[in-house]
Amino acid sequence: MTFSRLLPLLLLVPALTMADEDRNFKLTSENFKVGSLLDGSLLENASKKAIALDRAIAISQEPVFPLQPNTLYLRYKKSAKEYFWFSGEAKPEEYKKLHAFNLKENHLSAREVIGLRLYASRQYKAFQDESDIYFDAEYVYSPRVPKLLFMKNGQWQILKESTHPGMVQIKSDEKDLDIVALNSSLKAGSKAVYPVNDGVYIFSFGAPDKLPYVDAGVLKPGDVLTFNVNFPVPDSGDVAPVNMSVSLEQVHALQTVEEAENLYDVFSSEVDRNFTRIDTTEFSKFYPPVKSADSLGLDDSNKVYRSYVSHYNFKRSEAQTLWRNKKLGTVSELYKAFHAKFDSLQALPAQINMTPVFVKKIMSATDSTKIDSLEFRFGIDRNRVETTWNGVVDEIPMDSLLKLMMVGDGSFVTTLFLANNKPVWVFKEGKIVGRYHYRYDKLGFRMGDKLIFGKGEFTLPLHIAVEPEVVEWLKNRAPESSSSSIASSSSSEVVKDTVVAEPNKKIIEHATRGTVALIDSGSFRFRGKVVSMSPYAIHTTEVTQEFFHKIMGLLDSAKRIPDRSAFKGANKPVQGITWENAQYACKVLGGDLPTEAQWEFAGRAGSNDGVLWTDDDAMSVGKYSIFAENSLKRGKKDAAYGPHDVATKTPNAWGIYDMSGNVAEWTRDNYFAITFSIESSNPTGSYWGTNKVLKGGSWKDKAKNLNMTVRDDEDPRYWSDHIGFRCVFPLERIIQDNKK
């Protein structure tokens, strides 16, 4: 074979090598060897590892998510395609020597970074990654180098080293120790937590028959902070005489939750009055004093210190109450009796007959004469019963039901059914400020002897839904089963209604500016660099032709821009619009075109990837996007050809539609082939260049061009049937308008 014939093959070899090299910058599950024991050389060096290793636990496993808290993981590279995965406890002294890289700061997830090969230099080839890399749910660690790099989207990217986290451990021989981390996360049943950042840590400690207390300590960067639990011990156990009007007999005779609550409030008031008779000097002698701000490296006005003092005072008051109760003798017995009575009464199902304070008809979107559903609001703000029910009633026409309610006939009764009669008690500074029902099952309508049920959803107001007891109940509730109270009232099984929390409204339907998503401040990895973003609002859909006509209707006829859309439809996006005209329309509304960073931050919705589907699940692209496969390739005679109505595909996590496909979207930024620098906060694009950046791909593009990190560009005077736009607005302007 002559050299001239061999030359093309020689040139092809580097290309194939680079392709294979690029593919192998990532690890797959096949790279992890399951069940493999540590080899002798690694075991010999186990003492130098940051994780405790021995033959009993050194079994390699495939990574399982989520990574467990208070656990350190080691990814050990044995060969180019063979990796071991170990987990165990971190060894404090070795752990402190690791170089730490915070995942959140670097906008990476543990699941994502475990599959990346990590390098000390850009000069390394695909298989020349670091051999020992440690992980936990928040950090990546290197025992060797202070800088790590990885390959993503075809370019080298840097992991920024972080301040080394530390550990907090709690030592106690108490079997039933109750630990509450007051400014950090601690797994239930655990006595250690890592990784944690340096600073002041506050814990509350309690145990049966012990006086609770709060302690605080200072953790230095990368160090271990140890809390040795020592409960306060009274010097004397003398009992003081006390006169109480509430007796054990009265408590045992209680029949309802409401009666028990009323008597409990009387009892609490009498206990408070009797407290003044007890000398508190004795308590102060043995109870640990509050630590000074100086001893914690803080000042008196510091938020963390104020939190510590507040929790300290609360627990001190609780401990003092327990101490006084023992001093008062019969008080502790009454407390136990009340708790037992509440446990028995609150376990019973409940029915509450109540007239709604507000009723609303939800009309059909397609038939203005048809009622789709009904909304009932019960109770008033901060009332014992405060909820909204939205649903349908099948056994009686809903307009007839509303007429019965309006007549006010005594034979018609609205009944709230509850799984059990246990309201949540809400405290503020140790005082009860409210008791609220939340365990709703069904809404029933009694008409004489007949009982029918609606099918719908209860919504709890946020001030109730955020209580930890309520959050836990909502999480564990089984919606498919029915309560005993309902089953006994109906010949057939009645399924529970769902109960949800009132949403934090992040989507606003603005009368003039359209429907927008409120975007909080944050940061993300933009074009290989972590940048921070200020809050703003962005249209949840591309500007439709119907909305575009409304925008132009705000102007004098001489200032209006014609709609050049080739594919007509009220809910189809505007197409065939130049950059200047798109920006003009946004400015009419008081907004602007988004910068590329604003567009991408909103589109990715906190994701590290530029697509809403997984890379290996090409079949799901059509669930999220209008693109060539479900539009262009259908042919001009097919109704699906061209852009579709907006919001017909699945939105992203922030409720924003069509950020991949349908029509490509203009952004505010100039495009320039060479990027000299990217601002660290709110990037605004290149100073150079005359073309403008387009984002998102369109109905004409293949799936690979729908990635939201990909950028295209066009002359701002250009227009086409695959280009549209959406607008952004200052967040404060939207919020102020919404309050009017």
Side-chain angles (χ1 to χ4, degrees):
M1 182 180 291
T2 64
F3 181 76
S4 60
R5 291 184 178 182
L6 185 62
L7 181 59
L9 293 176
L10 294 174
L11 293 174
L12 183 61
V13 170
L16 292 174
T17 303
M18 291 178 66
D20 183 67
E21 191 173 283
D22 181 69
R23 182 170 65 252
N24 288 288
F25 277 110
K26 292 184 178 180
L27 302 177
T28 65
S29 58
E30 288 76 17
N31 292 124
F32 290 93
K33 300 304 175 182
V34 178
S36 301
L37 285 171
L38 285 171
D39 65 4
S41 61
L42 179 59
L43 196 59
E44 289 173 3
N45 295 326
S47 60
K48 299 179 182 179
K49 301 290 181 183
I51 185 174
L53 294 175
D54 58 42
R55 290 193 181 277
I57 64 171
I59 305 297
S60 177
Q61 299 178 345
E62 184 176 337
V64 177
F65 298 93
L67 299 185
Q68 295 301 306
N70 303 335
T71 304
L72 191 63
Y73 298 84
L74 168 62
R75 188 181 80 188
Y76 170 70
K77 178 183 177 182
K78 186 177 181 182
S79 65
K81 294 185 178 181
E82 188 175 22
Y83 290 76
F84 290 164
W85 180 259
F86 304 106
S87 63
E89 295 183 0
K91 296 192 293 188
E93 293 305 315
E94 297 299 328
Y95 175 78
K96 292 190 292 184
K97 299 175 184 177
L98 299 176
H99 298 282
F101 305 85
N102 184 277
L103 293 173
K104 186 176 181 180
E105 290 176 5
N106 287 280
H107 290 272
L108 294 167
S109 66
R111 184 186 295 269
E112 179 182 20
V113 78
I114 284 170
L116 295 175
R117 295 182 186 270
L118 300 170
Y119 304 85
S121 168
R122 287 185 173 89
Q123 306 304 318
Y124 288 117
K125 302 300 181 182
F127 295 143
Q128 295 176 315
D129 54 318
E130 293 289 294
S131 63
D132 281 9
I133 297 292
Y134 294 90
F135 298 86
D136 57 40
E138 299 179 43
Y139 285 82
V140 178
Y141 307 89
S142 169
R144 200 175 73 86
V145 293
K147 182 176 73 172
L148 287 175
L149 295 97
F150 61 96
M151 178 69 73
K152 190 173 180 65
N153 296 327
Q155 61 181 333
W156 284 106
Q157 302 197 34
I158 300 174
L159 273 175
K160 178 184 176 184
E161 186 175 10
S162 310
T163 302
H164 200 295
M167 298 183 187
V168 176
Q169 63 176 343
I170 296 162
K171 290 186 177 180
S172 174
D173 295 329
E174 190 71 42
K175 292 183 179 180
D176 298 319
L177 182 64
D178 179 32
I179 308 170
V180 179
L182 298 175
N183 66 336
S184 60
S185 297
L186 181 68
K187 184 180 178 181
S190 175
K191 291 185 180 180
V193 56
Y194 61 88
V196 287
N197 296 326
D198 59 295
V200 174
Y201 285 84
I202 310 167
F203 290 87
S204 169
F205 302 109
D209 298 321
K210 302 289 185 180
L211 297 182
Y213 75 104
V214 170
D215 198 2
V218 181
L219 174 66
K220 297 179 181 179
D223 207 346
V224 177
L225 172 63
T226 301
F227 287 87
N228 293 298
V229 179
N230 295 302
F231 287 104
V233 179
D235 296 329
S236 172
D238 295 340
V239 176
V242 59
N243 295 317
M244 301 287 292
S245 67
V246 179
S247 67
L248 287 172
E249 290 74 16
Q250 286 177 290
V251 177
H252 294 320
L254 293 168
Q255 298 295 316
T256 68
V257 171
E258 289 76 10
E259 289 177 353
E261 290 172 351
N262 290 335
L263 189 62
Y264 180 84
D265 290 341
V266 173
F267 164 71
S268 296
S269 177
E270 289 187 351
V271 170
D272 287 341
R273 286 198 301 270
N274 275 280
F275 276 175
T276 59
R277 300 174 54 248
I278 303 297
D279 182 13
T280 59
T281 305
E282 180 185 340
F283 180 80
S284 300
K285 290 179 180 178
F286 69 85
Y287 197 81
V290 65
K291 292 183 177 180
S292 67
D294 289 342
S295 68
L296 299 174
L298 304 172
D299 57 64
D300 292 334
S301 62
N302 183 275
K303 182 179 180 181
V304 174
Y305 184 70
R306 293 201 310 269
S307 175
Y308 160 64
V309 172
S310 175
H311 285 106
Y312 170 88
N313 288 335
F314 179 75
K315 281 298 173 183
R316 188 183 191 280
S317 176
E318 182 181 328
Q320 192 172 41
T321 299
L322 291 172
W323 173 72
R324 283 170 167 169
N325 288 348
K326 290 182 179 180
K327 300 284 283 187
L328 292 173
T330 59
V331 172
S332 60
E333 293 300 318
L334 283 168
Y335 266 118
K336 292 179 181 179
F338 268 113
H339 289 162
K341 179 59 67 171
F342 278 123
D343 287 342
S344 63
L345 293 176
Q346 291 176 344
L348 300 174
Q351 300 178 18
I352 302 173
N353 295 333
M354 177 174 282
T355 302
V357 297
F358 175 81
V359 179
K360 180 180 178 182
K361 297 184 290 186
I362 311 297
M363 306 305 295
S364 170
T366 57
D367 184 354
S368 60
T369 64
K370 180 183 177 182
I371 302 175
D372 252 2
S373 62
L374 297 173
E375 180 181 308
F376 296 91
R377 188 175 303 159
F378 295 93
I380 57 176
D381 188 34
R382 308 290 166 171
N383 197 18
R384 187 182 185 93
V385 173
E386 186 185 349
T387 187
T388 299
W389 181 88
N390 187 293
V392 298
V393 183
D394 291 335
E395 296 185 39
I396 182 174
M398 288 188 280
D399 53 353
S400 300
L401 183 69
L402 291 176
K403 289 179 182 178
L404 285 172
M405 298 186 70
M406 297 300 293
V407 170
D409 187 346
S411 64
F412 180 85
V413 179
T414 310
T415 304
L416 292 164
F417 290 82
L418 290 88
N420 45 56
N421 196 7
K422 188 182 187 309
V424 58
W425 291 21
V426 179
F427 293 83
K428 186 175 182 180
E429 296 179 354
K431 301 291 184 181
I432 296 175
V433 296
R435 298 179 176 102
Y436 306 109
H437 279 301
Y438 63 93
R439 300 188 174 206
Y440 299 104
D441 262 357
K442 293 294 295 182
L443 178 62
F445 304 92
R446 299 183 187 273
M447 292 172 285
D449 295 332
K450 185 177 181 181
L451 172 63
I452 61 175
F453 292 97
K455 293 186 294 186
E457 180 177 85
F458 288 97
T459 302
L460 301 174
L462 283 176
H463 71 89
I464 297 175
V466 296
E467 288 294 318
E469 174 186 322
V470 181
V471 172
E472 188 67 19
W473 184 80
L474 289 174
K475 182 174 68 174
N476 296 326
R477 185 171 187 259
E480 66 278 2
S481 61
S482 60
S483 72
S484 58
S485 63
I486 295 175
S488 64
S489 304
S490 173
S491 59
S492 61
E493 186 178 8
V494 180
V495 180
K496 289 180 179 180
D497 285 342
T498 56
V499 183
V500 299
E502 180 183 62
N504 281 315
K505 295 183 178 178
K506 293 292 186 181
I507 305 293
I508 290 181
E509 296 183 13
H510 194 281
T512 303
R513 298 185 173 96
T515 304
V516 297
L518 308 185
I519 308 299
D520 292 330
S521 60
S523 57
F524 75 123
R525 187 173 286 276
F526 175 64
R527 299 178 62 194
K529 179 179 180 178
V530 175
V531 301
S532 61
M533 302 295 295
S534 299
Y536 59 98
I538 187 169
H539 278 144
T540 57
T541 70
E542 295 147 340
V543 171
T544 64
Q545 294 169 41
E546 181 181 37
F547 187 56
F548 185 79
H549 296 155
K550 289 181 180 179
I551 298 173
M552 293 301 106
L554 300 172
L555 300 169
D556 296 335
S557 57
K559 297 181 180 179
R560 296 174 186 171
I561 303 168
D563 180 5
R564 294 177 177 169
S565 298
F567 296 88
K568 298 295 184 182
N571 289 320
K572 289 186 185 295
V574 170
Q575 322 116 42
I577 189 166
T578 65
W579 182 90
E580 290 93 340
N581 287 347
Q583 186 180 53
Y584 177 71
C586 290
K587 287 188 176 295
V588 170
L589 295 175
D592 204 339
L593 289 172
T595 64
E596 182 184 3
Q598 285 178 323
W599 189 97
E600 193 172 317
F601 184 54
R604 289 164 61 183
S607 170
N608 287 321
D609 295 312
V611 294
L612 301 180
W613 53 94
T614 56
D615 290 332
D616 58 353
D617 187 12
M619 296 299 292
S620 68
V621 179
K623 178 182 177 182
Y624 298 93
S625 303
I626 306 298
F627 68 124
E629 293 296 328
N630 56 20
S631 181
L632 178 70
K633 291 186 178 181
R634 297 289 183 88
K636 294 184 178 181
K637 294 182 179 180
D638 195 301
Y641 182 82
H644 294 196
D645 286 356
V646 301
T648 58
K649 296 296 183 179
T650 303
N652 68 11
W654 293 349
I656 305 173
Y657 295 86
D658 302 315
M659 296 297 274
S660 290
N662 216 21
V663 290
E665 299 175 26
W666 288 116
T667 70
R668 199 187 317 168
D669 290 5
N670 293 335
Y671 175 86
F672 197 65
I674 301 174
T675 301
F676 294 102
S677 65
I678 297 174
E679 298 120 305
S680 298
S681 177
N682 300 313
T684 55
S686 174
Y687 177 79
W688 310 97
T690 55
N691 281 10
K692 298 295 182 179
V693 174
L694 283 167
K695 298 290 284 185
S698 76
W699 61 276
K700 294 183 176 181
D701 285 306
K702 296 179 180 179
K704 67 179 182 179
N705 295 326
L706 303 181
N707 193 305
M708 287 176 279
T709 64
V710 173
R711 54 208 311 253
D712 197 358
D713 69 288
E714 275 296 351
D715 188 304
R717 298 165 295 182
Y718 178 79
W719 55 271
S720 171
D721 60 7
H722 73 284
I723 296 178
F725 72 106
R726 71 181 78 213
C727 306
V728 296
F729 305 91
L731 186 61
E732 60 274 9
R733 183 174 298 167
I734 296 292
I735 294 175
Q736 289 170 2
D737 290 347
N738 195 51
K739 290 180 179 179
K740 294 179 181 178

